[in-house]
Amino acid sequence: MKKNLLFFLLLCLLPSFAIHAQGREWIRQNIKKHGNCRNVAITRTNGDLMLYGLNGWASNGCPSNLTDALNELNNNGEYIDDVQLTESGRWLILYGNNGIRWNDIPYSLERKLREYNNDGETILSVTFNDYGNWIIITKNYYIASDSEIQEWLRDGNQKFGMLWSACITDDAIVAVYANGYKFLGNTPQTLKQGLDNANIDVFRLKIAGTAWFIADTEGRYHYNM
């Protein structure tokens, strides 16, 4: 059964998961090593990943079928745009010209992605969690797994303009609009402060516990790991 918005609020009252054993030192070192970072996939328990350059990537503790897929895309010279990774190892990759690969995503999400892909709709952002909640954002539409989430997104659309991207975890949702943000559940206070102080037009946003990463479309980024 899908969890609604109340579920996220209730989760805020529960103890946090243990932080991934390697901490965030690995991802900080790799951002420094490669000199740039377009995007990340971060979790509290199931590994971290970063994207750099056209299709460069580096990961620590991620599922082998995800790294195999990334290796293949890298070898084929495909542009790797985004990677989503959940705490239980479900994942999705956006690449190339509307290319999508996934593992064990909700069937309702898979069905809608196939529909948009077949219609030639440009998919900008996909996010989902281990409880069946998901959001798809395309060039012309956005849709969520749940009518309550859809209404929550619509309210932000009316207040802050076009919805650019979103991030769903097991206990939080953050939506990125052209002129502002919406938060629900267990979102880090440091993220809100970071967004207030950011000198970039945020397009990508990822959170995991108290860790977060934001980036624009020009390769500029800020993070708290």
Side-chain angles (χ1 to χ4, degrees):
M1 181 181 296
K2 293 182 177 66
K3 306 298 188 293
N4 59 24
L5 296 188
L6 179 61
F7 170 76
F8 290 103
L9 298 177
L10 292 174
L11 271 179
C12 293
L13 303 176
L14 300 177
S16 298
F17 292 102
I19 297 298
H20 183 56
Q22 295 296 323
R24 302 298 170 184
E25 183 61 26
W26 176 89
I27 204 164
R28 291 197 302 268
Q29 289 177 352
N30 273 270
I31 289 175
K32 184 177 181 179
K33 173 183 176 182
H34 296 290
N36 70 85
C37 183
R38 292 189 293 102
N39 204 343
V40 302
I42 51 177
T43 72
R44 289 181 290 189
T45 60
N46 200 37
D48 297 316
L49 182 146
M50 65 165 293
L51 301 177
Y52 63 93
L54 175 68
N55 56 15
W57 63 276
S59 71
N60 178 58
C62 292
S64 59
N65 55 359
L66 170 59
T67 58
D68 289 345
L70 289 168
N71 263 329
E72 182 179 340
L73 294 172
N74 180 275
N75 291 335
N76 291 339
E78 295 281 4
Y79 175 73
I80 302 172
D81 185 28
D82 191 20
V83 178
Q84 298 291 323
L85 177 62
T86 73
E87 300 297 333
S88 68
R90 297 177 172 90
W91 55 263
L92 180 144
I93 306 170
L94 292 179
Y95 71 93
N97 185 21
N98 242 22
I100 315 168
R101 291 199 183 184
W102 59 69
N103 175 69
D104 196 24
I105 65 175
Y107 176 69
S108 58
L109 172 59
E110 177 181 338
R111 184 176 57 190
K112 199 64 185 177
L113 286 170
R114 290 185 185 277
E115 178 185 325
Y116 280 143
N117 193 265
N118 290 337
D119 290 344
E121 185 68 29
T122 302
I123 299 170
L124 302 177
S125 175
V126 181
T127 183
F128 60 98
N129 65 16
D130 288 322
Y131 296 102
N133 302 103
W134 53 262
I135 297 170
I136 305 172
I137 301 166
T138 77
K139 190 174 181 180
N140 298 305
Y141 308 101
Y142 59 86
I143 187 169
S145 56
D146 180 296
S147 60
E148 290 183 83
I149 297 176
Q150 185 81 10
E151 185 58 34
W152 183 82
L153 292 171
R154 187 179 295 114
D155 176 71
N157 189 195
Q158 294 170 350
K159 292 178 179 177
F160 303 118
M162 183 178 177
L163 178 62
W164 284 357
S165 65
C167 178
I168 289 183
T169 69
D170 287 351
D171 60 357
I173 308 177
V174 181
V176 178
Y177 296 89
N179 300 302
Y181 311 92
K182 282 200 76 176
F183 308 94
L184 183 73
N186 194 17
T187 55
Q189 186 60 36
T190 56
L191 169 62
K192 297 176 182 179
Q193 294 169 349
L195 290 170
D196 285 341
N197 296 328
N199 57 352
I200 61 176
D201 292 325
V202 176
F203 182 72
R204 293 295 184 200
L205 182 151
K206 301 292 178 64
I207 56 175
T210 59
W212 53 266
F213 175 91
I214 57 176
D216 64 10
T217 58
E218 305 298 323
R220 294 170 293 191
Y221 57 89
H222 299 295
Y223 62 88
N224 177 54
M225 297 290 178

